[in-house]
Amino acid sequence: MQRCSISNCGGTLYSAGLCSKHYNRRLTRGTTEDGPRARAPLAERFWRYVDRRGADECWLWVGQSRNVGYGYIGVGGRAGGKILSHRAAWLLANGPIPDGDGHHGTVLMHTCDNRLCCNPAHLRLGTQADNVHDMDQKGRRGYGNGWPTRRKKN
């Protein structure tokens, strides 16, 4: 089986000594090199979409967000999937989020209660029970779908 003539490619020969990826790149762009559309590393792409401010302020995610208010970014590649923006902030600042027990495993909690905040100083690890306890203590547990939020009794 013949291989692509581009060094370090190893793709199966398609036409004119190139694999289909490099052949189509040359056909559409005039070059076989990765162009400006090539995916940058996660850290570079991530910080483009964060409005960084003071160390104690929220660093807001200005990229895409879901209807529940959390930002997200593609991890990379076609099969890479997506990651929530605050989880990406933790990953880039502190490394992988450790596995935890229970259905939800280890969760990241926002000490600032701002779902779009990506300041690693505002994030802490906990369990889902910790997160629910935090919501109850702050009186911000919502019941979703138009239900009123529970307020603390005086």
mmCIF file of all heavy atoms in Angstrom, residues 73-119:
data_model
loop_
_atom_site.group_PDB
_atom_site.id
_atom_site.type_symbol
_atom_site.label_atom_id
_atom_site.label_comp_id
_atom_site.label_asym_id
_atom_site.label_seq_id
_atom_site.Cartn_x
_atom_site.Cartn_y
_atom_site.Cartn_z
ATOM 1 N N ILE A 73 -16.516 24.733 25.166
ATOM 2 C CA ILE A 73 -15.539 24.829 24.088
ATOM 3 C C ILE A 73 -15.220 23.410 23.616
ATOM 4 O O ILE A 73 -15.252 22.467 24.416
ATOM 5 C CB ILE A 73 -14.261 25.565 24.553
ATOM 6 C CG1 ILE A 73 -13.312 25.830 23.374
ATOM 7 C CG2 ILE A 73 -13.572 24.819 25.677
ATOM 8 C CD1 ILE A 73 -12.179 26.777 23.702
ATOM 9 N N GLY A 74 -14.917 23.272 22.333
ATOM 10 C CA GLY A 74 -14.517 21.981 21.786
ATOM 11 C C GLY A 74 -13.130 21.610 22.283
ATOM 12 O O GLY A 74 -12.236 22.448 22.342
ATOM 13 N N VAL A 75 -12.961 20.354 22.649
ATOM 14 C CA VAL A 75 -11.678 19.882 23.159
ATOM 15 C C VAL A 75 -10.650 19.799 22.039
ATOM 16 O O VAL A 75 -9.493 20.105 22.230
ATOM 17 C CB VAL A 75 -11.843 18.512 23.856
ATOM 18 C CG1 VAL A 75 -10.508 17.965 24.295
ATOM 19 C CG2 VAL A 75 -12.762 18.658 25.039
ATOM 20 N N GLY A 76 -11.083 19.409 20.851
ATOM 21 C CA GLY A 76 -10.182 19.318 19.719
ATOM 22 C C GLY A 76 -10.447 18.071 18.916
ATOM 23 O O GLY A 76 -10.797 17.031 19.462
ATOM 24 N N GLY A 77 -10.334 18.193 17.621
ATOM 25 C CA GLY A 77 -10.575 17.071 16.737
ATOM 26 C C GLY A 77 -12.055 16.806 16.563
ATOM 27 O O GLY A 77 -12.896 17.310 17.287
ATOM 28 N N ARG A 78 -12.356 16.004 15.573
ATOM 29 C CA ARG A 78 -13.754 15.719 15.271
ATOM 30 C C ARG A 78 -14.432 14.918 16.367
ATOM 31 O O ARG A 78 -15.603 15.068 16.631
ATOM 32 C CB ARG A 78 -13.863 14.980 13.952
ATOM 33 C CG ARG A 78 -13.530 15.862 12.790
ATOM 34 C CD ARG A 78 -13.720 15.155 11.499
ATOM 35 N NE ARG A 78 -13.373 16.068 10.425
ATOM 36 C CZ ARG A 78 -13.415 15.749 9.167
ATOM 37 N NH1 ARG A 78 -13.772 14.545 8.810
ATOM 38 N NH2 ARG A 78 -13.095 16.625 8.257
ATOM 39 N N ALA A 79 -13.708 14.028 16.988
ATOM 40 C CA ALA A 79 -14.297 13.180 18.014
ATOM 41 C C ALA A 79 -13.934 13.648 19.420
ATOM 42 O O ALA A 79 -14.172 12.946 20.387
ATOM 43 C CB ALA A 79 -13.839 11.738 17.818
ATOM 44 N N GLY A 80 -13.372 14.842 19.535
ATOM 45 C CA GLY A 80 -12.905 15.332 20.828
ATOM 46 C C GLY A 80 -13.998 15.717 21.793
ATOM 47 O O GLY A 80 -13.801 15.727 22.993
ATOM 48 N N GLY A 81 -15.168 16.060 21.288
ATOM 49 C CA GLY A 81 -16.254 16.452 22.171
ATOM 50 C C GLY A 81 -16.096 17.875 22.675
ATOM 51 O O GLY A 81 -15.241 18.632 22.224
ATOM 52 N N LYS A 82 -16.923 18.223 23.628
ATOM 53 C CA LYS A 82 -16.915 19.561 24.206
ATOM 54 C C LYS A 82 -16.705 19.465 25.710
ATOM 55 O O LYS A 82 -16.958 18.438 26.319
ATOM 56 C CB LYS A 82 -18.238 20.261 23.909
ATOM 57 C CG LYS A 82 -18.453 20.507 22.429
ATOM 58 C CD LYS A 82 -19.762 21.223 22.185
ATOM 59 C CE LYS A 82 -20.099 21.513 20.762
ATOM 60 N NZ LYS A 82 -19.196 21.255 19.731
ATOM 61 N N ILE A 83 -16.248 20.560 26.288
ATOM 62 C CA ILE A 83 -16.023 20.629 27.726
ATOM 63 C C ILE A 83 -16.599 21.955 28.212
ATOM 64 O O ILE A 83 -16.546 22.962 27.495
ATOM 65 C CB ILE A 83 -14.515 20.496 28.060
ATOM 66 C CG1 ILE A 83 -14.272 20.415 29.566
ATOM 67 C CG2 ILE A 83 -13.723 21.624 27.451
ATOM 68 C CD1 ILE A 83 -12.833 20.090 29.934
ATOM 69 N N LEU A 84 -17.181 21.955 29.412
ATOM 70 C CA LEU A 84 -17.687 23.193 29.975
ATOM 71 C C LEU A 84 -16.518 24.130 30.240
ATOM 72 O O LEU A 84 -15.423 23.700 30.626
ATOM 73 C CB LEU A 84 -18.457 22.909 31.263
ATOM 74 C CG LEU A 84 -19.743 22.099 31.094
ATOM 75 C CD1 LEU A 84 -20.348 21.768 32.455
ATOM 76 C CD2 LEU A 84 -20.754 22.842 30.239
ATOM 77 N N SER A 85 -16.747 25.429 30.039
ATOM 78 C CA SER A 85 -15.651 26.396 30.111
ATOM 79 C C SER A 85 -14.996 26.446 31.486
ATOM 80 O O SER A 85 -13.771 26.572 31.578
ATOM 81 C CB SER A 85 -16.136 27.789 29.691
ATOM 82 O OG SER A 85 -17.208 28.210 30.500
ATOM 83 N N HIS A 86 -15.763 26.350 32.567
ATOM 84 C CA HIS A 86 -15.136 26.401 33.887
ATOM 85 C C HIS A 86 -14.310 25.139 34.148
ATOM 86 O O HIS A 86 -13.280 25.201 34.818
ATOM 87 C CB HIS A 86 -16.169 26.650 34.991
ATOM 88 C CG HIS A 86 -17.174 25.570 35.186
ATOM 89 N ND1 HIS A 86 -18.209 25.348 34.310
ATOM 90 C CD2 HIS A 86 -17.308 24.647 36.162
ATOM 91 C CE1 HIS A 86 -18.941 24.334 34.750
ATOM 92 N NE2 HIS A 86 -18.414 23.891 35.862
ATOM 93 N N ARG A 87 -14.707 24.015 33.567
ATOM 94 C CA ARG A 87 -13.913 22.789 33.702
ATOM 95 C C ARG A 87 -12.616 22.911 32.896
ATOM 96 O O ARG A 87 -11.559 22.445 33.321
ATOM 97 C CB ARG A 87 -14.725 21.573 33.294
ATOM 98 C CG ARG A 87 -15.884 21.299 34.263
ATOM 99 C CD ARG A 87 -16.721 20.116 33.847
ATOM 100 N NE ARG A 87 -16.058 18.844 34.086
ATOM 101 C CZ ARG A 87 -16.083 18.178 35.234
ATOM 102 N NH1 ARG A 87 -16.720 18.668 36.273
ATOM 103 N NH2 ARG A 87 -15.466 17.016 35.350
ATOM 104 N N ALA A 88 -12.680 23.574 31.727
ATOM 105 C CA ALA A 88 -11.470 23.814 30.931
ATOM 106 C C ALA A 88 -10.521 24.740 31.684
ATOM 107 O O ALA A 88 -9.300 24.545 31.663
ATOM 108 C CB ALA A 88 -11.834 24.396 29.569
ATOM 109 N N ALA A 89 -11.074 25.766 32.352
ATOM 110 C CA ALA A 89 -10.240 26.689 33.136
ATOM 111 C C ALA A 89 -9.489 25.927 34.230
ATOM 112 O O ALA A 89 -8.296 26.140 34.444
ATOM 113 C CB ALA A 89 -11.097 27.795 33.745
ATOM 114 N N TRP A 90 -10.199 25.035 34.931
ATOM 115 C CA TRP A 90 -9.561 24.226 35.977
ATOM 116 C C TRP A 90 -8.476 23.337 35.373
ATOM 117 O O TRP A 90 -7.370 23.254 35.895
ATOM 118 C CB TRP A 90 -10.596 23.386 36.703
ATOM 119 C CG TRP A 90 -9.971 22.561 37.780
ATOM 120 C CD1 TRP A 90 -9.378 21.337 37.639
ATOM 121 C CD2 TRP A 90 -9.825 22.915 39.150
ATOM 122 N NE1 TRP A 90 -8.893 20.895 38.848
ATOM 123 C CE2 TRP A 90 -9.148 21.850 39.787
ATOM 124 C CE3 TRP A 90 -10.216 24.014 39.905
ATOM 125 C CZ2 TRP A 90 -8.856 21.862 41.139
ATOM 126 C CZ3 TRP A 90 -9.913 24.022 41.259
ATOM 127 C CH2 TRP A 90 -9.246 22.964 41.857
ATOM 128 N N LEU A 91 -8.812 22.669 34.288
ATOM 129 C CA LEU A 91 -7.876 21.756 33.633
ATOM 130 C C LEU A 91 -6.594 22.478 33.235
ATOM 131 O O LEU A 91 -5.489 21.984 33.483
ATOM 132 C CB LEU A 91 -8.536 21.148 32.396
ATOM 133 C CG LEU A 91 -7.679 20.254 31.522
ATOM 134 C CD1 LEU A 91 -7.400 18.938 32.231
ATOM 135 C CD2 LEU A 91 -8.361 19.992 30.202
ATOM 136 N N LEU A 92 -6.720 23.670 32.650
ATOM 137 C CA LEU A 92 -5.542 24.410 32.197
ATOM 138 C C LEU A 92 -4.743 24.984 33.363
ATOM 139 O O LEU A 92 -3.522 25.105 33.274
ATOM 140 C CB LEU A 92 -5.966 25.518 31.230
ATOM 141 C CG LEU A 92 -6.550 25.018 29.911
ATOM 142 C CD1 LEU A 92 -7.154 26.171 29.127
ATOM 143 C CD2 LEU A 92 -5.505 24.288 29.091
ATOM 144 N N ALA A 93 -5.418 25.330 34.456
ATOM 145 C CA ALA A 93 -4.719 25.926 35.602
ATOM 146 C C ALA A 93 -4.184 24.895 36.585
ATOM 147 O O ALA A 93 -3.125 25.092 37.176
ATOM 148 C CB ALA A 93 -5.658 26.891 36.334
ATOM 149 N N ASN A 94 -4.918 23.788 36.771
ATOM 150 C CA ASN A 94 -4.585 22.845 37.844
ATOM 151 C C ASN A 94 -4.388 21.407 37.404
ATOM 152 O O ASN A 94 -4.095 20.554 38.226
ATOM 153 C CB ASN A 94 -5.697 22.855 38.905
ATOM 154 C CG ASN A 94 -5.918 24.236 39.471
ATOM 155 O OD1 ASN A 94 -5.002 24.836 39.990
ATOM 156 N ND2 ASN A 94 -7.125 24.733 39.342
ATOM 157 N N GLY A 95 -4.618 21.109 36.145
ATOM 158 C CA GLY A 95 -4.516 19.733 35.682
ATOM 159 C C GLY A 95 -5.875 19.046 35.719
ATOM 160 O O GLY A 95 -6.897 19.674 35.998
ATOM 161 N N PRO A 96 -5.896 17.747 35.465
ATOM 162 C CA PRO A 96 -7.166 17.022 35.379
ATOM 163 C C PRO A 96 -7.979 17.067 36.675
ATOM 164 O O PRO A 96 -7.421 17.119 37.767
ATOM 165 C CB PRO A 96 -6.739 15.584 35.077
ATOM 166 C CG PRO A 96 -5.346 15.687 34.570
ATOM 167 C CD PRO A 96 -4.748 16.910 35.188
ATOM 168 N N ILE A 97 -9.282 17.037 36.517
ATOM 169 C CA ILE A 97 -10.189 16.976 37.660
ATOM 170 C C ILE A 97 -10.178 15.532 38.152
ATOM 171 O O ILE A 97 -10.406 14.610 37.367
ATOM 172 C CB ILE A 97 -11.605 17.410 37.248
ATOM 173 C CG1 ILE A 97 -11.566 18.854 36.756
ATOM 174 C CG2 ILE A 97 -12.594 17.235 38.389
ATOM 175 C CD1 ILE A 97 -12.824 19.307 36.049
ATOM 176 N N PRO A 98 -9.906 15.324 39.444
ATOM 177 C CA PRO A 98 -9.823 13.940 39.938
ATOM 178 C C PRO A 98 -11.179 13.240 39.874
ATOM 179 O O PRO A 98 -12.225 13.877 39.990
ATOM 180 C CB PRO A 98 -9.348 14.096 41.385
ATOM 181 C CG PRO A 98 -9.562 15.508 41.740
ATOM 182 C CD PRO A 98 -9.633 16.301 40.474
ATOM 183 N N ASP A 99 -11.133 11.929 39.679
ATOM 184 C CA ASP A 99 -12.361 11.138 39.720
ATOM 185 C C ASP A 99 -12.870 11.113 41.149
ATOM 186 O O ASP A 99 -12.105 11.169 42.100
ATOM 187 C CB ASP A 99 -12.090 9.703 39.262
ATOM 188 C CG ASP A 99 -11.773 9.618 37.778
ATOM 189 O OD1 ASP A 99 -12.225 10.505 37.023
ATOM 190 O OD2 ASP A 99 -11.072 8.673 37.376
ATOM 191 N N GLY A 100 -14.178 11.033 41.276
ATOM 192 C CA GLY A 100 -14.767 10.969 42.602
ATOM 193 C C GLY A 100 -15.798 9.874 42.678
ATOM 194 O O GLY A 100 -16.171 9.275 41.672
ATOM 195 N N ASP A 101 -16.255 9.605 43.873
ATOM 196 C CA ASP A 101 -17.267 8.585 44.080
ATOM 197 C C ASP A 101 -18.642 9.130 43.719
ATOM 198 O O ASP A 101 -18.849 10.328 43.609
ATOM 199 C CB ASP A 101 -17.275 8.145 45.549
ATOM 200 C CG ASP A 101 -15.963 7.482 45.943
ATOM 201 O OD1 ASP A 101 -15.309 6.914 45.048
ATOM 202 O OD2 ASP A 101 -15.607 7.539 47.130
ATOM 203 N N GLY A 102 -19.577 8.241 43.558
ATOM 204 C CA GLY A 102 -20.960 8.623 43.317
ATOM 205 C C GLY A 102 -21.251 8.848 41.845
ATOM 206 O O GLY A 102 -20.362 8.787 40.983
ATOM 207 N N HIS A 103 -22.507 9.125 41.576
ATOM 208 C CA HIS A 103 -22.984 9.283 40.201
ATOM 209 C C HIS A 103 -22.315 10.458 39.488
ATOM 210 O O HIS A 103 -21.931 10.359 38.340
ATOM 211 C CB HIS A 103 -24.503 9.472 40.205
ATOM 212 C CG HIS A 103 -25.077 9.728 38.857
ATOM 213 N ND1 HIS A 103 -25.112 8.757 37.871
ATOM 214 C CD2 HIS A 103 -25.612 10.844 38.306
ATOM 215 C CE1 HIS A 103 -25.660 9.266 36.778
ATOM 216 N NE2 HIS A 103 -25.971 10.523 37.019
ATOM 217 N N HIS A 104 -22.168 11.590 40.158
ATOM 218 C CA HIS A 104 -21.606 12.783 39.538
ATOM 219 C C HIS A 104 -20.090 12.860 39.645
ATOM 220 O O HIS A 104 -19.472 13.693 39.002
ATOM 221 C CB HIS A 104 -22.209 14.045 40.167
ATOM 222 C CG HIS A 104 -23.659 14.203 39.880
ATOM 223 N ND1 HIS A 104 -24.127 14.646 38.682
ATOM 224 C CD2 HIS A 104 -24.756 13.972 40.644
ATOM 225 C CE1 HIS A 104 -25.440 14.693 38.700
ATOM 226 N NE2 HIS A 104 -25.858 14.285 39.886
ATOM 227 N N GLY A 105 -19.491 12.045 40.468
ATOM 228 C CA GLY A 105 -18.052 12.118 40.654
ATOM 229 C C GLY A 105 -17.669 13.432 41.314
ATOM 230 O O GLY A 105 -18.414 13.991 42.098
ATOM 231 N N THR A 106 -16.505 13.949 40.986
ATOM 232 C CA THR A 106 -16.061 15.226 41.521
ATOM 233 C C THR A 106 -16.654 16.344 40.671
ATOM 234 O O THR A 106 -16.602 16.288 39.448
ATOM 235 C CB THR A 106 -14.524 15.316 41.502
ATOM 236 O OG1 THR A 106 -13.994 14.225 42.257
ATOM 237 C CG2 THR A 106 -14.031 16.612 42.089
ATOM 238 N N VAL A 107 -17.213 17.341 41.327
ATOM 239 C CA VAL A 107 -17.780 18.479 40.615
ATOM 240 C C VAL A 107 -16.956 19.725 40.934
ATOM 241 O O VAL A 107 -16.257 19.776 41.943
ATOM 242 C CB VAL A 107 -19.275 18.721 40.984
ATOM 243 C CG1 VAL A 107 -20.124 17.531 40.616
ATOM 244 C CG2 VAL A 107 -19.441 19.064 42.445
ATOM 245 N N LEU A 108 -17.048 20.708 40.051
ATOM 246 C CA LEU A 108 -16.420 22.000 40.298
ATOM 247 C C LEU A 108 -17.503 22.963 40.751
ATOM 248 O O LEU A 108 -18.547 23.082 40.108
ATOM 249 C CB LEU A 108 -15.778 22.545 39.018
ATOM 250 C CG LEU A 108 -14.416 22.020 38.668
ATOM 251 C CD1 LEU A 108 -13.927 22.626 37.369
ATOM 252 C CD2 LEU A 108 -13.423 22.304 39.766
ATOM 253 N N MET A 109 -17.251 23.637 41.835
ATOM 254 C CA MET A 109 -18.220 24.592 42.363
ATOM 255 C C MET A 109 -17.684 26.007 42.180
ATOM 256 O O MET A 109 -16.502 26.262 42.378
ATOM 257 C CB MET A 109 -18.474 24.301 43.839
ATOM 258 C CG MET A 109 -18.980 22.895 44.074
ATOM 259 S SD MET A 109 -19.478 22.562 45.771
ATOM 260 C CE MET A 109 -17.993 22.874 46.664
ATOM 261 N N HIS A 110 -18.571 26.903 41.786
ATOM 262 C CA HIS A 110 -18.226 28.317 41.671
ATOM 263 C C HIS A 110 -18.453 28.984 43.029
ATOM 264 O O HIS A 110 -19.583 29.033 43.507
ATOM 265 C CB HIS A 110 -19.126 29.016 40.643
ATOM 266 C CG HIS A 110 -18.834 28.662 39.235
ATOM 267 N ND1 HIS A 110 -19.439 27.623 38.581
ATOM 268 C CD2 HIS A 110 -18.000 29.240 38.340
ATOM 269 C CE1 HIS A 110 -18.995 27.568 37.339
ATOM 270 N NE2 HIS A 110 -18.109 28.528 37.171
ATOM 271 N N THR A 111 -17.416 29.510 43.635
ATOM 272 C CA THR A 111 -17.595 30.226 44.898
ATOM 273 C C THR A 111 -18.307 31.549 44.674
ATOM 274 O O THR A 111 -18.919 32.083 45.577
ATOM 275 C CB THR A 111 -16.243 30.482 45.591
ATOM 276 O OG1 THR A 111 -15.409 31.256 44.725
ATOM 277 C CG2 THR A 111 -15.555 29.163 45.942
ATOM 278 N N CYS A 112 -18.263 32.058 43.437
ATOM 279 C CA CYS A 112 -18.891 33.325 43.087
ATOM 280 C C CYS A 112 -20.331 33.144 42.587
ATOM 281 O O CYS A 112 -21.037 34.123 42.366
ATOM 282 C CB CYS A 112 -18.075 34.039 42.013
ATOM 283 S SG CYS A 112 -17.880 33.053 40.502
ATOM 284 N N ASP A 113 -20.765 31.899 42.402
ATOM 285 C CA ASP A 113 -22.109 31.577 41.899
ATOM 286 C C ASP A 113 -22.383 32.141 40.513
ATOM 287 O O ASP A 113 -23.524 32.383 40.155
ATOM 288 C CB ASP A 113 -23.197 32.044 42.867
ATOM 289 C CG ASP A 113 -23.122 31.326 44.195
ATOM 290 O OD1 ASP A 113 -22.685 30.159 44.200
ATOM 291 O OD2 ASP A 113 -23.491 31.922 45.218
ATOM 292 N N ASN A 114 -21.348 32.370 39.723
ATOM 293 C CA ASN A 114 -21.502 32.888 38.366
ATOM 294 C C ASN A 114 -21.128 31.776 37.393
ATOM 295 O O ASN A 114 -19.963 31.406 37.278
ATOM 296 C CB ASN A 114 -20.604 34.110 38.163
ATOM 297 C CG ASN A 114 -20.814 34.778 36.836
ATOM 298 O OD1 ASN A 114 -21.362 34.198 35.905
ATOM 299 N ND2 ASN A 114 -20.366 36.011 36.740
ATOM 300 N N ARG A 115 -22.107 31.240 36.681
ATOM 301 C CA ARG A 115 -21.882 30.095 35.803
ATOM 302 C C ARG A 115 -20.900 30.388 34.675
ATOM 303 O O ARG A 115 -20.263 29.484 34.155
ATOM 304 C CB ARG A 115 -23.200 29.632 35.196
ATOM 305 C CG ARG A 115 -24.130 29.041 36.209
ATOM 306 C CD ARG A 115 -25.439 28.668 35.585
ATOM 307 N NE ARG A 115 -26.307 28.073 36.588
ATOM 308 C CZ ARG A 115 -27.503 27.611 36.327
ATOM 309 N NH1 ARG A 115 -27.994 27.667 35.104
ATOM 310 N NH2 ARG A 115 -28.230 27.087 37.283
ATOM 311 N N LEU A 116 -20.765 31.647 34.264
ATOM 312 C CA LEU A 116 -19.854 31.993 33.171
ATOM 313 C C LEU A 116 -18.449 32.340 33.659
ATOM 314 O O LEU A 116 -17.573 32.626 32.855
ATOM 315 C CB LEU A 116 -20.426 33.160 32.358
ATOM 316 C CG LEU A 116 -21.673 32.850 31.546
ATOM 317 C CD1 LEU A 116 -22.184 34.110 30.856
ATOM 318 C CD2 LEU A 116 -21.400 31.768 30.517
ATOM 319 N N CYS A 117 -18.227 32.295 34.969
ATOM 320 C CA CYS A 117 -16.912 32.645 35.514
ATOM 321 C C CYS A 117 -15.907 31.531 35.241
ATOM 322 O O CYS A 117 -16.181 30.360 35.482
ATOM 323 C CB CYS A 117 -17.012 32.902 37.016
ATOM 324 S SG CYS A 117 -15.411 33.347 37.744
ATOM 325 N N CYS A 118 -14.725 31.931 34.754
ATOM 326 C CA CYS A 118 -13.642 30.996 34.456
ATOM 327 C C CYS A 118 -12.384 31.310 35.249
ATOM 328 O O CYS A 118 -11.297 30.850 34.905
ATOM 329 C CB CYS A 118 -13.329 31.017 32.958
ATOM 330 S SG CYS A 118 -14.645 30.367 31.947
ATOM 331 N N ASN A 119 -12.512 32.121 36.297
ATOM 332 C CA ASN A 119 -11.359 32.433 37.131
ATOM 333 C C ASN A 119 -11.060 31.207 37.989
ATOM 334 O O ASN A 119 -11.866 30.819 38.834
ATOM 335 C CB ASN A 119 -11.658 33.639 38.022
ATOM 336 C CG ASN A 119 -10.457 34.078 38.829
ATOM 337 O OD1 ASN A 119 -9.494 33.345 38.995
ATOM 338 N ND2 ASN A 119 -10.517 35.291 39.351
#
